[in-house]
Amino acid sequence: MHLTKGEEDVLEGRAGKGAQKAMRILVALGDIYGADSLIPVSKVQVSGVSYKNLGDEGTTFLEEFVKDGAQVKDGVVATLNPSGNDLIDWAKTGFKEDLARKQQRIIDAYTSMGILPTCTCLPYESGFQPNYGEHIAWAESSCVIYANSVIGARTNREGGPSALAAAIVGKTPNYGLHVALNRKPTVEVKVETEIKEADYGVLGWVLGKTIKKGIPYIKGLKKPSKTDLKYFGAGMAANSEIGLYHIEGITPEAKNYKGADGKLTIGKAELKDGYDKLNTIKGEGDMIYLGCPHLSIEELREIARLLKGKKVKKRLVLVTSRIIKGNAMREGITQVIEKAGGEVYADMCLVIGSIEKLGVKNLVTNTGKGAHYLPRYANVGVKILSTRDCVKEALR
Ligand code: F3S
């Protein structure tokens, strides 16, 4: 990979040890993937935040970076993925102080480097949406696939260390989805059944499981909303290496292509098979969990509308970003939900957090991604319903 004189200086340590370590990560990555050069990035989403994932070793790795003087490059906006618990209301959620303290150490390390503690997988709805064609370095597969497909920004699926390195250097290796030629669809998918509500997350999961690697060009989807696309991409990326899809007549780059050579058809039977595989419980859940990916303000409004004047009979946990929660509080939405007995949290992801520590065994949710990971990560049984039916289940 070609480096400029300034980049060589960083690699030689003339910009400090932290920047040197970050540059070494980027150069190793660029060499592995055959990148020709480094390109500047404007926004970085850093993953690897939950204590459950990082543990003490991961925390020390970050604190070493801080000691080495690593700082986010001027001009780069670096945001953070969800943590394992709500940074303020952890006790209300049911987490113990010891875990919250360990989690806070990780957040402190990131913020000391200049990373904004946004703690959300919805940066694009929390004030940090990139523009069409903008080069960014985002980690967290659901927001990566959303940025590439729905917005038309350009990012590879970064890992925690490579995103952190990109934030510090302000650049990322130029390969993969940063290169226009690599954004061409590789398989054409015809959807021959009606898709609505929770089907989107399950359909995405089915496509991810079937295609595994490549870029689908999808035909047959009628007017999915941006919320539908959020769940669709999250389900797909959870189960594959896919970081970009095109939908005919919907996503911004689809107009550049007519289809793709590989062909695949998805009908009622394939969708049902997806539900059968993801639903690991048949009966009721002990908790209803909505917020994987984090809930948007529109979804919170809808949930408040469904709950208004009623009382939940089961624990209803809703998760969003702190920025969206602030807006929801100003609109009076959280007050309506809380009056009905629902709980609204920010910052956390119960999938990568320690949901098992809350005593949950069976959970009802609306997300293909959550249904994919929860049984694997936390040994929690899952049933998928639409958002509306999840709320009904909480009220029953
Ligand atoms: Fe977000 Fe966690 Fe789901 S990071 S997409 S809430 S697994």
Side-chain angles (χ1 to χ4, degrees), residues 283-300:
E284 296 188 14
D286 349 295
M287 180 198 270
I288 288 80
Y289 170 52
L290 301 173
C292 171
H294 278 177
L295 293 166
S296 65
I297 191 80
E298 289 89 353
E299 289 176 286
L300 284 168

Side-chain angles (χ1 to χ4, degrees), residues 81-82 120-121 140 142 234 289 291-294 348-352 367 369-370 373:
N81 226 30
T120 182
C121 46
E140 204 289 297
S142 83
Y289 170 52
C292 171
H294 278 177
M348 67 177 181
C349 162
L350 285 183
V351 178
I352 52 166
T367 159
K369 176 170 180 174
Y373 282 122

Side-chain angles (χ1 to χ4, degrees), residues 37-85:
S37 60
L38 291 172
I39 47 167
V41 287
S42 50
K43 296 184 178 69
V44 177
Q45 168 85 357
V46 179
S47 68
V49 185
S50 157
Y51 175 76
K52 183 178 170 182
N53 275 359
L54 284 184
D56 293 330
E57 276 183 19
T59 311
T60 309
F61 169 83
L62 293 174
E63 289 174 343
E64 288 294 327
F65 250 112
V66 177
K67 276 191 209 139
D68 290 338
Q71 280 294 309
V72 171
K73 183 84 180 162
D74 282 352
V76 173
V77 177
T79 48
L80 209 54
N81 226 30
S83 87
N85 52 257

